[in-house]
Amino acid sequence: MNLPYAEPFRIKMVEEIRQSTREEREQWLKDANYNLFSLKSSQVFIDLLTDSGTGAMSDRQWGALMTGDESYAGSRSFEQLQNTVEKITGFKYLLPTHQGRAAENVLFSVLVKEGDVVPGNSHFDTTKGHIEFRKAHAIDCTIDEAFDINNLHPFKGNINLEKLEEVYKNHPKENIPFCLITITCNSSGGQPVSLENMKAVKELSDQYGIPVFFDSARFAENAYFIKKREKGQENRSIKEICKEIFSYGDGMTMSSKKDGLVNIGGFIALNNEEVFRKASNFTIIYEGFITYGGMAGRDMAALAVGLDEATEFAYLESRISQVEYLGNKLIEYGIPIQKPIGGHAVFIDSLNFLPNVSRAEYPAQTLGLEIYKEAGIRTVEIGTLLADRDPETRQNRYPKLELVRLAIPRRTYTNNHMDYIAAAIKNVYERREEIAKGYKITWEPEILRHFTVQLEKA
Ligand SMILES: CC1=C(O)/C(=C\N=C(/Cc2ccc(O)c(F)c2)C(=O)O)C(COP(=O)(O)O)=CN1
């Protein structure tokens, strides 16, 4: 018989997780003002809040930690990281930061000014936050197919070139610091961008003299989808595809907490020496000296190993197959999810799941709370709460999709956990008609409200 698939690793360390009762969870949600971010990890059985920094490191990464060089300047670990980043991306200048939004803060302090526009595919919320915080505007030029959850376009992270050229034509070049391509595109469901689209975006941007940057948090997963789905790529290595991806950009920001396979860290990498020099000053102000930038030497050492591991097909196949396994189970149960299934998460369409909950009562948040009550599984809302209010009108911005994201940490849960998650969501789906009321906000902060917002039952 054909041998079934098995993971290319074995487990050497485990961490105990504990179940709770439904009564306990209902009380804990009340105490948390119905904000899943406010739960303690001890109150969560399976944590799908984020794949950011929550994965398991390998024995080689733990080994690298022990030999980290903590020198303030010129650390050996920085050199190891710099060599690895250049090998994978081709970018020769590196500025470490403590995580992805810190890289955005440093780079955007150089490139983004009041009144600018930054086009791209869907910007993730902290990236958008760092653009709007500077009184600039993010313009989403994603292809329309991305917003139809049943459309099986293989690259829903792609940029619509007509929409992008409209931006280039309607704004002076000095007010367009760069075009930002997010790979994979988190907000539209962990959807990849094709090499063909990246190439076309770079060519169009070069015509208008606009630089292109990558928000690269899940670049390796994007490369995997290119290898699996894009014509002519099936025989190329992940590392070869990554090199070509970055050849279509002038630089990158990176949240290493995703495809860096580490629990903390980020960086900027680019080829433009002038931008590097200016960004170095902001690194020193915000992050620390330019050869550690808010990271310990040991974390840079572990990251250098992590980037190498993350850009290997066997690891990516294992990681993405687990997400597909969960997604296919939910499809089998009739649950409406974003298709094709993304690389790091399964995204449930809560408007179809909970038709009786009005948009003004946050259906995606309502569904996330029901899933937690049902089985102690924490998810995150990628909908109206996250979309926040229009900076000028202060009205809710209702995005096209109201999603609940099930983000799968890397090398952390087994497929038994996936079966448990799918069964829990099926149970909620079977009682969806009874769920007719959502939630209302009792307190919210000025920006990025969903992290700390407080709610009560509507
Ligand atoms: C494509 C991209 C990201 O996905 C990203 C972060 N993402 C997170 C963490 C998170 C962020 C915002 C939330 O509302 C959230 F609930 C979760 C996530 O789970 O997906 C960052 C920023 O990288 P930092 O987290 O290292 O600073 C930059 N770019």
Side-chain angles (χ1 to χ4, degrees):
M1 68 182 280
N2 285 333
L3 296 175
Y5 176 80
E7 283 78 8
F9 56 79
R10 60 185 181 189
I11 294 167
K12 197 160 24 180
M13 188 191 299
V14 293
E15 175 186 358
E16 190 184 359
I17 54 176
R18 243 185 242 111
Q19 191 45 288
S20 54
T21 65
R22 186 177 181 117
E23 293 67 35
E24 284 174 317
R25 294 194 290 274
E26 300 214 348
Q27 182 55 49
W28 290 337
L29 279 182
K30 193 163 181 289
D31 300 344
N33 295 299
Y34 302 98
N35 182 341
L36 293 165
F37 280 94
S38 304
L39 289 172
K40 297 175 187 150
S41 66
S42 60
Q43 297 169 334
V44 176
F45 182 54
I46 297 178
D47 203 345
L48 307 182
L49 176 70
T50 179
D51 65 316
S52 179
T54 54
M57 292 210 294
S58 67
D59 54 353
R60 288 173 59 236
Q61 286 180 287
W62 283 104
L65 273 175
M66 300 317 291
T67 57
D69 175 359
E70 303 308 335
S71 302
Y72 189 90
S75 158
R76 186 182 58 253
S77 304
F78 170 80
E79 277 179 78
Q80 286 163 350
L81 180 56
Q82 187 174 40
N83 293 339
T84 302
V85 169
E86 183 162 17
K87 178 182 75 172
I88 292 172
T89 71
F91 293 130
K92 59 173 180 264
Y93 295 115
L94 171 72
L95 285 169
T97 62
H98 73 268
Q99 61 183 89
R101 67 200 74 180
E104 292 158 359
N105 186 34
V106 168
L107 185 66
F108 296 4
S109 294
V110 177
L111 297 177
V112 180
K113 65 185 180 302
E114 186 167 346
D116 282 357
V117 293
V118 179
N121 52 4
S122 301
H123 305 63
F124 197 58
D125 66 338
T126 53
T127 317
K128 195 173 186 177
H130 274 287
I131 291 168
E132 292 180 345
F133 188 60
R134 289 165 174 78
K135 297 190 179 4
H137 298 279
I139 300 181
D140 187 344
C141 303
T142 309
I143 57 172
D144 293 337
E145 292 87 332
F147 304 103
D148 168 0
I149 67 159
N150 294 313
N151 184 304
L152 295 178
H153 190 298
F155 291 102
K156 283 179 154 181
N158 280 1
I159 287 176
N160 178 311
L161 296 171
E162 288 69 43
K163 291 182 188 176
L164 182 61
E165 187 157 28
E166 273 309 296
V167 174
Y168 288 170
K169 282 179 176 167
N170 296 336
H171 297 268
K173 181 178 144 190
E174 54 275 12
N175 285 125
I176 311 175
F178 53 86
C179 170
L180 187 67
I181 308 178
T182 300
I183 49 174
T184 57
C185 188
N186 194 356
S187 311
S188 60
Q191 302 294 315
V193 180
S194 67
L195 271 181
E196 181 192 22
N197 187 249
M198 293 173 192
K199 187 163 186 250
V201 167
K202 185 70 170 92
E203 283 165 359
L204 180 66
S205 303
D206 286 349
Q207 280 172 32
Y208 286 84
I210 308 290
V212 173
F213 278 79
F214 286 105
D215 174 342
S216 312
R218 301 176 181 87
F219 75 93
E221 294 170 1
N222 202 108
Y224 175 86
F225 285 121
I226 288 171
K227 181 179 175 69
K228 296 285 280 187
R229 298 179 183 171
E230 193 160 356
K231 204 161 63 58
Q233 301 300 322
E234 61 279 2
N235 298 320
R236 299 180 76 194
S237 74
I238 294 292
K239 283 183 167 69
E240 281 171 331
I241 294 171
C242 290
K243 202 65 163 298
E244 183 174 345
I245 289 174
F246 291 111
S247 73
Y248 298 129
D250 298 282
M252 66 188 282
T253 58
M254 177 66 183
S255 168
S256 308
K257 299 171 76 171
K258 289 80 170 168
D259 279 357
L261 288 175
V262 290
N263 303 120
I264 192 69
F267 62 80
I268 295 164
L270 34 71
N271 281 330
N272 182 306
E273 183 175 359
E274 188 198 349
V275 174
F276 169 67
R277 296 266 167 248
K278 290 177 179 170
S280 295
N281 293 334
F282 286 106
T283 299
I284 290 166
I285 292 168
Y286 292 128
E287 296 295 302
F289 186 60
I290 57 175
T291 59
Y292 77 86
M295 289 185 74
R298 57 182 175 271
D299 290 324
M300 290 193 285
L303 174 55
V305 176
L307 286 168
D308 233 357
E309 291 180 359
T311 49
E312 287 302 316
F313 181 78
Y315 152 73
L316 286 164
E317 184 183 43
S318 159
R319 188 278 188 288
I320 293 178
S321 305
Q322 184 172 57
V323 180
E324 275 173 355
Y325 177 83
L326 174 60
N328 286 327
K329 270 258 177 247
L330 294 178
I331 292 169
E332 185 188 321
Y333 294 160
I335 312 287
I337 64 168
Q338 170 73 292
K339 292 181 280 296
I341 299 159
H344 68 293
V346 177
F347 292 69
I348 302 174
D349 172 14
S350 61
L351 291 179
N352 279 322
F353 195 117
L354 293 179
N356 300 334
V357 177
S358 85
R359 293 209 67 171
E361 294 183 358
Y362 311 104
Q365 183 69 9
T366 303
L367 178 54
L369 292 167
E370 285 301 326
I371 293 169
Y372 173 74
K373 269 192 270 184
E374 179 71 23
I377 299 163
R378 177 160 61 175
T379 59
V380 76
E381 185 254 24
I382 308 264
T384 302
L385 275 185
L386 180 128
D388 218 317
R389 295 179 184 277
D390 180 287
E392 271 94 41
T393 67
R394 303 306 300 158
Q395 292 307 303
N396 268 341
R397 286 184 287 200
Y398 290 102
K400 294 185 180 90
L401 296 172
E402 282 283 346
L403 302 170
V404 171
R405 184 184 72 172
L406 313 172
I408 312 301
R410 295 167 179 78
R411 306 187 292 199
T412 301
Y413 292 111
T414 69
N415 282 1
N416 286 334
H417 293 108
M418 301 302 119
D419 290 340
Y420 176 93
I421 294 159
I425 294 169
K426 181 170 184 284
N427 289 350
V428 178
Y429 192 62
E430 284 166 356
R431 58 182 173 83
R432 66 189 180 281
E433 295 303 330
E434 301 156 26
I435 305 167
K437 294 297 284 173
Y439 292 79
K440 60 185 181 187
I441 292 176
T442 56
W443 178 85
E444 64 185 280
E446 271 302 297
I447 61 166
L448 291 173
R449 68 178 174 187
H450 65 291
F451 285 110
T452 56
V453 69
Q454 295 180 0
L455 302 147
E456 66 182 10
K457 290 179 181 175

